[in-house]
Amino acid sequence: MSGSSREVLAMETSHPDHVISFGKKKGCYVSRCVAALLGVFFLSGMVATGLLVYYYAPHIRDSQRESLVLQKPVVPLHKSLPAPTRRPSGAPTTPESLRPEAQRPTTSAAAAPTTQALDVRLPTSLRPLHYLVKLQPFINGNFSILGYMELELEVLEPTSNITLHIADIITHNDTVTVAASGDQVGPSIRIKMHQYDHDRQFYIAHLGQQLEKGKKYVLSMEFLGYLNDQLRGFYRSTYKDEDGSDKMLAVTQFQATDARRAFPCFDEPEMKATFEVFLAREENMSSISNMPIKETLPVENQEGWVWDHYDRSVPMSTYLVAFVVSDFANLKSRANENTFFRVWARESAIQQAEYAGQVGPLILNHFEKYFSVPYPLPKQDMIAIPDFSAGAMENWGLITYRETAMLYDPVVSAASNKQYVVAVVAHELAHQWFGNIVTPSWWTDLWLNEGFASYVEYIGINHVEPKWQVMEQFVLREVQEVFGLDCLESSHPISIPVGHPDEIGQIFDRISYGKGASIIRMMNHFLTEVTFRRGLSNYLDAFKYSTAEQDDLWEYLTVVAHQDGTLPPDLTVKMIMDTWTLQMGYPVIKVARNPDGTSAVISQERFLLVRSENSTDTHDYKWWVPLTYTTEGEADFNQTQAMVWMKDSEEQITLPSLPPKDQWVIFNLQETGYYRVNYDDHNWNLLIRQLRNDHEVISTINRAQIIDDAMNLAKAGQITYETALSVYTYLAKETEYVPLAAAINNLGYLRSMFVRAGGYGSLRSYLLDILVPLYESVGFEDSPDDPLLDQYKRTKALSWACLLGHQHCLDSASALYRTWMANPKNDSIISPNLKSTVYCRAIAEGGEAEWDFAWHKYLKSNVGAEKSRLLSALGCTNEIWILSRYLEMAFTSDSGIRKQDAYRVFGAVAKNVVGRPLAWNYLQNEWDKIYEFYGKAKPHFIKYATGGFNTEQHLKEVEHFRKEHEDHLGSASRTVEQVIERTKNNIAWMKTNYDVIVKWLDANGYATKLSTA
């Protein structure tokens, strides 16, 4: 989602201040041979290239400019643009003069040490009012984009320069004009010099006179852009139609800092403006943008081309501007009488968009009622893109999706795919309010976007699929997952100052999304739903079409909370929430009951897996904690409004009026608070006894909480593993998915630590004793009509039984796969819910024939979810040579694997016990190749390759990797720090707990040593 600091066309010169002139006064088109020659000269030397580009950079001839310049009524809108030479048949070629060169970012990311921070913020003397953008992308030509822009500006402070963001664009400097607004035909303001600042991605027009405060001016320019293949900015995507022909489309992905790659702009979220977009397209294609099409006109002197002219938009940030030019089909519906709704996809896949088209309007309607703020646009388009870097993007009125996030085929897709589609649709529609109507002033408060959307998506899902119990799933998917990251010293506050695009990219992580959603859920519960919703509605209405910071939201929520009496007059939302957003981590609440049990001392401290002896963090971590609790006598788990507040100034408090010592207490009801709970040994034993005797007395979510807290407290050394594993003794009676999943998820850590150690066989036997009863109860046969969570329970049981080598599971998976191989046209042989397990285990147990069969099925599949499943399964093979070949294919163009899916291939190989050393070696040896392939660092690859590292040798290798690449880790730098900390934690865990668990296994009948008799 983030931009990169590399610049395609920037060149260093000897001019002071790195001033670079784009273009010359008279332009010319460059042939391919000349372009290739320029590419060679570029590699020969930066200065020589600068001179060549100065004299030979592609320009639009004066006679061609009429079709771009929109000085109405002098020039008709439909004037023609001469198309660049069409590319020959075969693979598309990139013009050498526009091909991105692999420069490393010149600034390091937040987690890496820097000598001097680079200020990348725009000057504040100007603000944009309105953009008129006219683009002609040659999708089926040489991928160039002819562009023209008019930008109306208001002067806030006198200034003699205009600074815009720009990247991957050639400006035609002789066409740049600045004139008073409404007087473009009069004398323009002289431009003394055109400057380009590579590091900050600035274009600066130095003017011959000052712009006057309070007045408005219009800057206009022509420029040349490029449809890149880097999945950012205005880029190209490809697919094959049903007859195997290659098809092209052009699509945008601007968040966070890539609108500047499509047109020069004020590319900061606070710089909102209105937009009027013109897109030229061939008549056999269609275009869509944020707003409806106002008119379509033929392009003069260019047969087969038309201009789509779009209505003026509402005020919005540049990162929300979007356009797509494609030959896609669409399905139409109405959200309500005011909003026209369409879903778009490849023609051969359009029926897979039906489900998104059904739930989308329902969710949009529900959010209008939930927020009490109407959706302001006349239409909402959603489109599934074959090549897309993120899961989806909330562009206002035109949401773009990866195919797997929007398309669902009930015959081929699993139940989890269906939930994923509705979750992403709900998430992006939630952004139409949080992010689009009201936008964070700067990326520091990104979490206001992503945290709210990540929470509200569950409200949207629950509205259209109320039987799925998604509010229970929340604790698994959000709270407990992000706990695992936020317990590291290398975590970060949810609200964190960022500047450089690499820094911005780093905070699109589970902290912004998962922790953001979790603390908003906590806030909803301590304020109550009624107060929470009323405060949100007032906030959205007050800052409509504007920007805000988290303090603005706190103020509006506080006013309503005081009116409703849900907070005392001396307590504000800001006082509470600043402790959760401005410091990282979360507390563990310790409940120590007195000998008779009737009172308890409650204390808090930051929960860390391991406290570093060399830590330089001296911050005193304390939070405002909303305490909720129930007792054995009451067993009321529905009271989630704060019963007691623990202040951030209090080391401990005493809580009276508890039951006698023979009755348990449970804190953090429904796990609505973002904290863990530890008890004294006696209370833990009471809870274990209750689970064994009648576990259903404790609510489903709190059973999952008790399991997760116990295992992680043991992991951190705060309770014994004997206590934690005793919690598991009731699991044979457990039938609910959420606590079962919490239990199995936590066993995954034990397996990852043991899998390369001598004690793994005994641990595996213990794990099978837990899993086999569940496996036998759910059965290998799927029942798609079962409730969703029952389907999930079966999927998890089968996946783990096969992973642990349960023979019946392996035999069943292999038999089904062989039947499919014998009947390759029958894709219904394997139930969609079982496909991931069957494919993976059969390929692992098989050889080259099984792998090749899956690969050919991948190539032929028309369903994104099925293709993703097959790509993951192909990484399960135990044939090392196949895994090595597969890694090479992932980062090779035209291998059949899309660039967006290389991470899936790499992750699948790294997840494989046999493949992880291969993946780690490949990452170390081919880091530069991967960097070149994506045009930037990708943090996920580092995380995948190092999962389960727990030896000193592993630590040395990761530290060497950091040292070797520290100058160009970019947005991956924080991930490397987290990997190093995790590895150290794992080493410490092995030293402290491995022998302890081995002894426990021996004592409980799982012998770790072979008999010598």
Side-chain angles (χ1 to χ4, degrees):
M1 301 284 281
S2 66
S4 170
S5 62
R6 272 190 325 285
E7 175 55 52
V8 170
L9 296 167
M11 291 150 286
E12 299 297 334
T13 71
S14 57
H15 195 288
D17 298 324
H18 306 292
V19 175
I20 296 171
S21 176
F22 286 84
K24 58 170 191 166
K25 294 299 178 184
K26 294 182 179 179
C28 62
Y29 280 99
V30 178
S31 70
R32 288 201 172 146
C33 292
V34 175
L37 183 60
L38 290 179
V40 172
F41 275 105
F42 184 92
L43 297 175
S44 301
M46 299 291 274
V47 175
T49 306
L51 295 171
L52 286 169
V53 170
Y54 181 84
Y55 287 107
Y56 292 103
H59 283 63
I60 304 169
R61 295 187 180 93
D62 292 339
S63 62
Q64 300 160 2
R65 288 182 179 138
E66 290 182 334
S67 60
L68 286 173
V69 181
L70 303 178
Q71 296 179 347
K72 296 179 280 189
V74 178
V75 181
L77 296 179
H78 57 283
K79 285 291 185 180
S80 63
L81 297 173
T85 305
R86 287 184 176 273
R87 62 182 175 87
S89 59
T93 57
T94 301
E96 293 289 345
S97 59
L98 292 173
R99 182 169 292 161
E101 298 296 332
Q103 291 175 278
R104 301 297 188 192
T106 56
T107 60
S108 54
T114 57
T115 54
Q116 182 178 356
L118 184 70
D119 183 6
V120 297
R121 299 295 300 274
L122 289 169
T124 57
S125 53
L126 302 169
R127 75 178 182 100
L129 300 175
H130 178 67
Y131 292 83
L132 188 152
V133 179
K134 193 173 185 188
L135 301 172
Q136 184 172 21
F138 290 94
I139 304 166
N140 299 308
N142 67 352
F143 309 132
S144 60
I145 306 166
L146 303 184
Y148 171 78
M149 181 192 70
E150 290 180 5
L151 171 55
E152 186 178 27
L153 305 160
E154 181 183 5
V155 182
L156 304 180
E157 295 294 338
T159 181
S160 58
N161 67 66
I162 297 174
T163 302
L164 304 174
H165 282 117
I166 188 172
D168 298 3
I169 284 174
I170 297 175
T171 61
H172 299 305
N173 293 343
D174 55 330
T175 71
V176 181
T177 64
V178 178
S181 183
D183 190 27
Q184 288 95 312
V185 295
S188 61
I189 295 172
R190 184 173 69 90
I191 300 175
K192 297 190 300 183
M193 181 173 62
H194 303 273
Q195 179 183 353
Y196 177 67
D197 184 328
H198 165 266
D199 291 338
R200 295 187 291 177
Q201 298 179 336
F202 284 175
Y203 161 82
I204 305 169
H206 294 271
L207 308 178
Q209 66 186 67
Q210 271 202 340
L211 302 180
E212 297 179 37
K213 181 178 180 178
K215 288 195 173 182
K216 299 175 183 178
Y217 298 84
V218 173
L219 177 147
S220 64
M221 70 163 67
E222 297 167 17
F223 55 90
L224 179 67
Y226 179 61
L227 287 173
N228 68 76
D229 61 355
Q230 298 293 311
L231 311 183
R232 60 181 177 175
F234 199 8
Y235 71 92
R236 63 185 188 268
S237 175
T238 64
Y239 72 95
K240 292 185 182 293
D241 63 14
E242 289 182 297
D243 66 7
S245 301
D246 290 329
K247 292 295 187 75
M248 290 274 184
L249 63 148
V251 61
T252 56
Q253 171 55 39
F254 290 164
Q255 193 181 39
T257 57
D258 288 320
R260 65 193 68 177
R261 299 180 190 278
F263 56 94
C265 56
F266 288 76
D267 204 9
E268 295 184 1
E270 192 170 26
M271 300 287 197
K272 288 193 171 186
T274 56
F275 292 82
E276 189 175 357
V277 173
F278 295 76
L279 294 174
R281 60 174 173 85
E282 294 172 276
E283 287 182 313
N284 64 335
M285 306 186 85
S286 62
S287 77
I288 43 178
S289 187
N290 305 85
M291 300 299 291
I293 292 177
K294 181 178 182 179
E295 60 181 345
T296 297
L297 300 169
V299 176
E300 189 177 287
N301 299 325
Q302 219 168 315
E303 186 177 352
W305 282 80
V306 294
W307 285 108
D308 285 337
H309 174 199
Y310 288 87
D311 284 337
R312 180 183 291 232
S313 74
V314 296
M316 61 184 184
S317 305
T318 50
Y319 79 87
L320 294 170
V321 177
F323 19 88
V324 178
V325 181
S326 73
D327 63 352
F328 280 12
N330 69 77
L331 300 174
K332 303 175 180 66
S333 63
R334 276 205 169 270
N336 51 49
E337 61 183 21
N338 299 317
T339 308
F340 185 55
F341 210 103
R342 293 180 298 186
V343 288
W344 298 73
R346 296 177 287 111
E347 188 169 4
S348 63
I350 189 60
Q351 297 308 314
Q352 299 174 38
E354 283 186 354
Y355 181 62
Q358 291 168 8
V359 298
L362 297 175
I363 294 171
L364 190 73
N365 272 340
H366 183 63
F367 284 163
E368 284 189 307
K369 296 172 184 175
Y370 187 86
F371 294 122
S372 298
V373 175
Y375 176 73
L377 302 189
K379 65 94 174 175
Q380 177 64 68
D381 285 306
M382 304 198 308
I383 184 168
I385 306 298
D387 299 285
F388 200 71
S389 62
M393 177 60 210
E394 65 267 19
N395 314 299
W396 215 344
L398 173 52
I399 302 174
T400 44
Y401 294 83
R402 185 178 288 212
E403 287 194 342
T404 53
M406 197 187 104
L407 304 184
Y408 169 73
D409 184 335
V411 176
V412 179
S413 304
S416 58
N417 300 131
K418 188 175 186 179
Q419 179 169 337
Y420 180 58
V421 167
V422 68
V424 179
V425 168
H427 183 99
E428 303 310 323
L429 289 174
H431 272 309
Q432 307 303 299
W433 283 265
F434 268 91
N436 297 11
I437 289 180
V438 180
T439 309
S441 300
W442 183 243
W443 299 109
T444 292
D445 288 322
L446 168 72
W447 81 274
L448 282 179
N449 271 13
E450 300 303 345
F452 264 93
S454 296
Y455 173 63
V456 173
E457 76 179 59
Y458 285 83
I459 296 170
I461 303 169
N462 197 51
H463 175 69
V464 294
E465 300 287 2
K467 296 181 180 179
W468 286 2
Q469 298 172 257
V470 292
M471 302 315 284
E472 289 187 8
Q473 293 185 54
F474 186 96
V475 300
L476 286 174
R477 297 177 178 270
E478 308 297 337
V479 180
Q480 293 181 2
E481 181 183 340
V482 77
F483 270 169
L485 177 62
D486 207 20
C487 63
L488 301 178
E489 288 186 331
S490 54
S491 184
H492 65 82
I494 200 168
S495 180
I496 181 172
V498 290
H500 193 275
D502 284 342
E503 296 173 1
I504 297 169
Q506 290 190 79
I507 62 171
F508 281 85
D509 64 0
R510 290 302 300 159
I511 298 296
S512 294
Y513 287 72
K515 182 176 182 178
S518 298
I519 65 172
I520 290 164
R521 173 175 173 259
M522 176 176 68
M523 184 168 60
N524 176 298
H525 282 274
F526 72 66
L527 289 176
T528 73
E529 174 80 1
V530 172
T531 298
F532 178 74
R533 286 177 61 176
R534 198 154 67 90
L536 291 186
S537 178
N538 293 347
Y539 164 80
L540 289 169
D541 188 62
F543 291 92
K544 188 185 302 182
Y545 305 129
S546 186
T547 59
E549 298 175 352
Q550 67 175 26
D551 283 359
D552 298 315
L553 177 59
W554 303 157
E555 181 180 348
Y556 277 81
L557 288 171
T558 298
V559 169
V560 178
H562 287 163
Q563 291 172 352
D564 294 350
T566 55
L567 284 183
D570 61 342
L571 182 59
T572 68
V573 174
K574 177 177 170 59
M575 290 167 62
I576 299 165
M577 295 304 292
D578 275 0
T579 66
W580 297 97
T581 64
L582 301 182
Q583 59 183 354
M584 59 183 160
Y586 57 91
V588 53
I589 299 300
K590 296 186 176 182
V591 180
R593 299 173 71 181
N594 69 351
D596 66 4
T598 56
S599 67
V601 174
I602 314 295
S603 60
Q604 62 163 306
E605 67 177 34
R606 184 184 177 189
F607 180 78
L608 288 170
L609 284 182
V610 176
R611 294 186 182 276
S612 172
E613 296 178 358
N614 302 317
S615 175
T616 58
D617 187 354
T618 58
H619 179 70
D620 182 24
Y621 289 89
K622 292 290 187 297
W623 291 262
W624 275 85
V625 184
L627 297 176
T628 58
Y629 62 94
T630 191
T631 66
E632 186 173 339
E634 296 173 349
D636 178 7
F637 291 88
N638 297 318
Q639 173 54 273
T640 57
Q641 190 176 0
M643 301 164 72
V644 177
W645 281 101
M646 188 170 190
K647 301 177 183 178
D648 63 344
S649 60
E650 294 175 324
E651 292 291 333
Q652 62 183 42
I653 61 173
T654 299
L655 195 64
S657 303
L658 295 180
K661 64 179 180 180
D662 61 342
Q663 296 184 35
W664 50 256
V665 295
I666 293 177
F667 278 69
N668 197 10
L669 303 184
Q670 306 295 347
E671 203 168 4
T672 53
Y674 188 70
Y675 55 88
R676 295 197 184 279
V677 183
N678 193 4
Y679 304 99
D680 55 75
D681 289 344
H682 181 66
N683 200 78
W684 274 115
N685 289 331
L686 292 174
L687 293 175
I688 292 167
R689 184 184 69 182
Q690 181 66 69
L691 290 170
R692 288 172 178 169
N693 293 340
D694 186 0
H695 62 281
E696 292 183 348
V697 169
I698 300 173
S699 74
T700 301
I701 291 177
N702 279 104
R703 298 201 299 272
Q705 174 224 9
I706 289 167
I707 292 168
D708 187 63
D709 280 354
M711 290 297 284
N712 282 278
L713 289 165
K715 189 176 176 182
Q718 297 193 29
I719 65 173
T720 67
Y721 263 105
E722 183 175 2
T723 298
L725 293 175
S726 293
V727 173
Y728 277 62
T729 55
Y730 94 97
L731 277 184
K733 301 177 184 178
E734 183 62 78
T735 60
E736 294 292 333
Y737 170 73
V738 171
L740 281 169
I744 295 171
N745 291 346
N746 277 284
L747 294 174
Y749 180 75
L750 296 185
R751 180 183 177 274
S752 68
M753 292 297 97
F754 270 68
V755 72
R756 296 175 185 82
Y760 176 64
S762 298
L763 178 70
R764 187 171 71 96
S765 297
Y766 165 68
L767 298 179
L768 281 170
D769 274 359
I770 293 176
L771 266 298
V772 168
L774 177 62
Y775 171 82
E776 292 176 345
S777 71
V778 298
F780 200 93
E781 295 296 323
D782 192 30
S783 300
D785 294 330
D786 282 351
L788 181 75
L789 294 191
D790 284 354
Q791 296 181 54
Y792 285 179
K793 184 169 62 173
R794 177 178 296 106
T795 301
K796 187 169 282 288
L798 269 57
S799 171
W800 267 78
C802 278
L803 176 67
L804 295 170
H806 184 52
Q807 199 59 50
H808 182 271
C809 186
L810 295 177
D811 291 345
S812 299
S814 296
L816 268 179
Y817 194 83
R818 285 195 299 269
T819 302
W820 188 34
M821 290 180 69
N823 302 274
K825 294 184 178 180
N826 186 354
D827 290 334
S828 63
I829 291 172
I830 306 170
S831 169
N833 286 337
L834 306 185
K835 283 182 174 181
S836 291
T837 295
V838 171
Y839 292 176
C840 181
R841 292 306 126 202
I843 290 171
E845 295 291 304
E848 186 177 4
E850 286 77 8
W851 198 96
D852 288 346
F853 178 80
W855 173 252
H856 290 299
K857 280 293 184 180
Y858 159 77
L859 293 176
K860 292 179 180 178
S861 178
N862 187 44
V863 180
E866 178 74 350
K867 294 177 83 72
S868 294
R869 244 191 316 268
L870 286 162
L871 283 177
S872 294
L874 288 165
C876 294
T877 181
N878 289 319
E879 297 285 349
I880 293 177
W881 70 271
I882 295 179
L883 291 173
S884 296
R885 181 183 66 181
Y886 197 32
L887 284 172
E888 287 290 344
M889 292 168 63
F891 303 100
T892 302
S893 300
D894 302 322
S895 68
I897 299 170
R898 292 185 183 274
K899 183 172 292 188
Q900 68 177 23
D901 292 324
Y903 85 95
R904 184 178 298 277
V905 172
F906 187 89
V909 175
K911 187 178 179 181
N912 185 338
V913 174
V914 175
R916 178 163 293 159
L918 292 176
W920 174 232
N921 288 337
Y922 188 89
L923 188 73
Q924 294 175 90
N925 297 331
E926 303 294 344
W927 176 255
D928 289 341
K929 176 181 178 179
I930 295 172
Y931 192 105
E932 307 283 344
F933 186 70
Y934 280 103
K936 58 182 176 181
K938 285 288 189 178
H940 289 308
F941 293 112
I942 302 169
K943 181 180 177 181
Y944 293 150
T946 57
F949 274 17
N950 61 4
T951 68
E952 294 290 349
Q953 180 59 34
H954 286 147
L955 179 60
K956 289 179 182 178
E957 291 174 5
V958 177
E959 289 177 333
H960 177 74
F961 178 85
R962 176 182 61 180
K963 182 178 180 180
E964 185 176 5
H965 301 291
E966 62 184 346
D967 291 335
H968 52 265
L969 285 173
S971 59
S973 58
R974 179 173 280 113
T975 298
V976 173
E977 297 303 317
Q978 291 170 347
V979 164
I980 289 173
E981 184 180 353
R982 282 189 189 278
T983 303
K984 290 179 178 178
N985 290 352
N986 291 343
I987 292 170
W989 187 92
M990 290 292 286
K991 290 178 179 178
T992 304
N993 295 301
Y994 177 79
D995 289 338
V996 171
I997 293 177
V998 165
K999 290 178 182 178
W1000 185 90
L1001 290 168
D1002 284 334
N1004 285 272
Y1006 303 98
T1008 58
K1009 297 178 182 178
L1010 293 174
S1011 173
T1012 58

